[in-house]
Amino acid sequence: QKEVEQNSGPLSVPEGAIASLNCTYSDRVSQSFFWYRQYSGKSPELIMSIYSNGDKEDGRFTAQLNKASQYVSLLIRDSQPSDSATYLCAVEDSSASKIIFGSGTRLSIRP
Amino acid sequence: NAGVTQTPKFQVLKTGQSMTLQCAQDMNHNSMYWYRQDPGMGLRLIYYSASEGTTDKGEVPNGYNVSRLNKREFSLRLESAAPSQTSVYFCASRDSGDSPLHFGNGTRLTVT
């Protein structure tokens, strides 16, 4: 069974600081990785996709991928109260056309 | 600009009753998915359809059946509902290859 692991949190970060969210995965040949944000009672929404080793930046968000270590992370700079949500890491199963999710990390930004 | 539409939004069933959750997408996506989400469990894949005419089991298929009616529609059926199927159900779709999922708004199901 292929797995995606995340620390469930909650992760508490002061407003304006950098929030760092981590994810490891078991499928060595996965090529596609995604970060979703989910507010309570809402559906997941895509923040970032990353496919190559290294960093990918989009506004205050940076995704980092290290395929050799089977590790993907999400950094949120200048954290805002509106960033308080659950962040889901998702990884493509390379053997089938499906995406596997981690259990999510709950992030709380304190004023 | 509807995206992925799920019906109903809420449903209460008694144990043993059956129902079908409907999902339709208007983005001409090839692949469609059904996930369930329980507290602290993340999203678990029930069934998926990589392309029109195909369906495959995910992590937790027991107690469910699916139908890919056409390219737009993918339904999930509970033949005999059980309290363990109380959950939030999300339908999602994506284009082929390595594209991300687009989610519907979810169906909150309670089985008593």
Side-chain angles (χ1 to χ4, degrees), chain A residues 28-82:
Chain A
R28 290 187 168 276
V29 296
S30 288
Q31 298 295 321
S32 305
F33 306 86
F34 310 95
W35 282 101
Y36 287 82
R37 178 176 62 199
Q38 186 176 28
Y39 293 115
S40 182
K42 302 295 186 182
S43 57
E45 54 181 331
L46 180 71
I47 300 175
M48 298 275 284
S49 305
I50 187 166
Y51 305 98
S52 304
N53 278 330
D55 295 359
K56 179 181 178 183
E57 188 174 317
D58 184 359
R60 294 187 297 111
F61 298 96
T62 299
Q64 300 175 316
L65 175 60
N66 184 326
K67 292 183 182 179
S69 300
Q70 295 173 240
Y71 175 93
V72 58
S73 64
L74 180 70
L75 301 177
I76 306 174
R77 288 183 300 282
D78 188 23
S79 296
Q80 302 296 310
S82 60

Side-chain angles (χ1 to χ4, degrees), chain B:
Chain B
N1 197 18
V4 180
T5 302
Q6 290 184 236
T7 54
K9 287 184 168 49
F10 301 94
Q11 184 71 48
V12 178
L13 292 177
K14 294 190 188 314
T15 297
Q17 288 185 318
S18 62
M19 78 162 294
T20 299
L21 282 65
Q22 307 286 354
C23 176
Q25 51 92 8
D26 62 2
M27 297 173 282
N28 201 36
H29 285 168
N30 289 309
S31 303
M32 298 186 72
Y33 303 78
W34 278 105
Y35 289 88
R36 61 177 287 175
Q37 187 173 36
D38 303 300
M41 298 289 289
L43 289 157
R44 292 185 292 169
L45 183 62
I46 304 171
Y47 270 95
Y48 66 105
S49 172
S51 61
E52 188 179 356
T54 69
T55 60
D56 286 286
K57 295 178 180 179
E59 303 168 70
V60 288
N62 290 345
Y64 305 95
N65 285 302
V66 290
S67 296
R68 183 76 182 265
L69 303 169
N70 48 54
K71 191 171 186 179
R72 289 188 63 248
E73 298 173 286
F74 188 40
S75 63
L76 178 72
R77 183 160 178 83
L78 286 70
E79 290 291 352
S80 178
S84 60
Q85 294 177 306
T86 293
S87 190
V88 180
Y89 291 84
F90 288 103
C91 178
S93 71
R94 66 170 181 164
D95 210 345
S96 56
D98 56 9
S99 53
L101 292 169
H102 297 258
F103 284 89
N105 288 330
T107 295
R108 193 170 297 270
L109 175 67
T110 301
V111 183
T112 61

Side-chain angles (χ1 to χ4, degrees), chain A residues 4-8 11 19-24 35 64 71-75 87 89 104-105:
Chain A
V4 178
E5 300 284 344
Q6 294 182 258
N7 189 324
S8 61
L11 176 65
S20 178
L21 303 159
N22 303 315
C23 173
T24 59
W35 282 101
Q64 300 175 316
Y71 175 93
V72 58
S73 64
L74 180 70
L75 301 177
Y87 289 80
C89 174
T105 298

